[in-house]
Amino acid sequence: TITEQTMGIDRFYGILNVLRGLNYIEDNGIPTKKLKISRQICSGPEVLLLTEILVENLLLDLQPKEIPLLLSIICFETRPTQEFSSKELFKIIQNEKFITVVQKVQAIYCNIKYLEKENGIANEEFLNFEMISVIQQWCNGSEFHLLQKYTDKKEGTIVRSIMKIDRFLDLIKSFAKDNYQANLIIKVESALELLRRDIINATSLYLINEK
């Protein structure tokens, strides 16, 4: 219908305005380096936030074991069941540098959401702080069946989160290789080792080596 077509056109121009506001597109319509980076990494709802994280080099401020924890925050949830303050987060991750990076990610996220709202783009993705403890325990060597002590999420949700973080890390590694970022490659490879550690089959995290 004409109304649907109008809504589609409005959304299209709204998205263009968001991209201009974030400096992905110049005023004359020419794509910037940021847009090219976003095309390299992914096409999901996390693409803008993940691109900003890479452009700002925020991962370089983290230890390899902290990178999966940060990425767990952008495994978007549509209905967060609780909010996390910096103080609560510090109880889990007692590292001020990590908290500072998280605060920067929150600020970037809020800016993206503000621009989307101003331009009539309704996206219901929210930062997800509920898996940080789970991913921390997994990367520290906890067995999979013990992870539910740290969350009320079902096993399938935990599996999907771990696999999504694994995918993010692969995308970031490819980006780092394409852009000759040796330090980032080293950190991401170490993070992948921690995340995958004793997984026999990456497509099924239920297969755990019991050695």
Side-chain angles (χ1 to χ4, degrees):
T1 65
I2 294 176
T3 302
E4 290 174 338
Q5 290 175 346
T6 302
M7 289 176 64
I9 293 171
D10 288 345
R11 181 174 174 82
F12 173 76
Y13 283 108
I15 291 171
L16 284 181
N17 287 334
V18 171
L19 294 176
R20 287 193 183 98
L22 294 170
N23 298 317
Y24 284 68
I25 299 175
E26 296 179 3
D27 290 338
N28 58 9
I30 295 176
T32 66
K33 184 178 179 180
K34 287 172 75 171
L35 185 61
K36 295 173 183 177
I37 290 172
S38 70
R39 289 173 175 170
Q40 277 184 280
I41 52 176
C42 66
S43 58
E46 312 86 358
V47 61
L48 294 180
L49 187 52
L50 188 53
T51 300
E52 296 295 322
I53 288 171
L54 292 176
V55 170
E56 296 294 327
N57 292 315
L58 296 183
L59 298 182
L60 294 178
D61 291 334
L62 301 177
Q63 297 298 319
K65 66 180 180 180
E66 295 170 337
I67 292 177
L69 309 188
L70 183 74
L71 295 178
S72 76
I73 295 173
I74 66 173
C75 289
F76 288 141
E77 290 285 330
T78 54
R79 294 181 181 176
T81 57
Q82 63 182 118
E83 297 292 334
F84 268 78
S85 67
S86 296
K87 192 175 292 186
E88 290 172 320
L89 196 55
F90 188 76
K91 291 178 182 177
I92 302 172
I93 313 296
Q94 296 181 354
N95 183 324
E96 291 185 2
K97 184 172 282 189
F98 179 81
I99 303 301
T100 298
V101 171
V102 170
Q103 290 171 337
K104 290 179 180 178
V105 171
Q106 287 177 302
I108 293 168
Y109 166 82
C110 288
N111 184 46
I112 292 171
K113 289 293 147 187
Y114 171 79
L115 288 170
E116 288 179 342
K117 184 177 180 180
E118 286 292 296
N119 289 281
I121 307 299
N123 289 323
E124 296 299 321
E125 295 88 12
F126 297 89
L127 295 180
N128 175 20
F129 291 89
E130 297 180 357
M131 297 302 292
I132 285 183
S133 293
V134 173
I135 302 303
Q136 180 188 43
Q137 294 300 319
W138 175 255
C139 290
N140 284 341
S142 177
E143 294 182 15
F144 182 79
H145 68 89
L146 298 176
L147 296 181
Q148 285 193 293
K149 291 169 53 179
Y150 304 92
T151 182
D152 58 359
K153 301 294 185 183
K154 295 181 180 180
E155 287 186 358
T157 300
I158 297 173
V159 169
R160 286 192 297 273
S161 294
I162 294 175
M163 292 181 71
K164 196 167 190 178
I165 294 167
D166 183 272
R167 182 172 66 86
F168 284 159
L169 288 169
D170 270 337
L171 291 168
I172 294 167
K173 182 179 175 181
S174 295
F175 161 81
K177 286 183 174 179
D178 290 344
N179 292 274
Y180 308 103
Q181 295 190 17
N183 290 339
L184 184 56
I185 292 171
I186 292 169
K187 287 197 173 193
V188 171
E189 286 180 342
S190 297
L192 278 167
E193 287 181 14
L194 291 170
L195 192 71
R196 293 174 177 174
R197 54 183 177 86
D198 53 0
I199 298 170
I200 297 172
N201 182 349
T203 63
S204 176
L205 298 183
Y206 292 101
L207 299 176
I208 307 298
N209 187 345
E210 295 296 336
K211 292 182 181 180

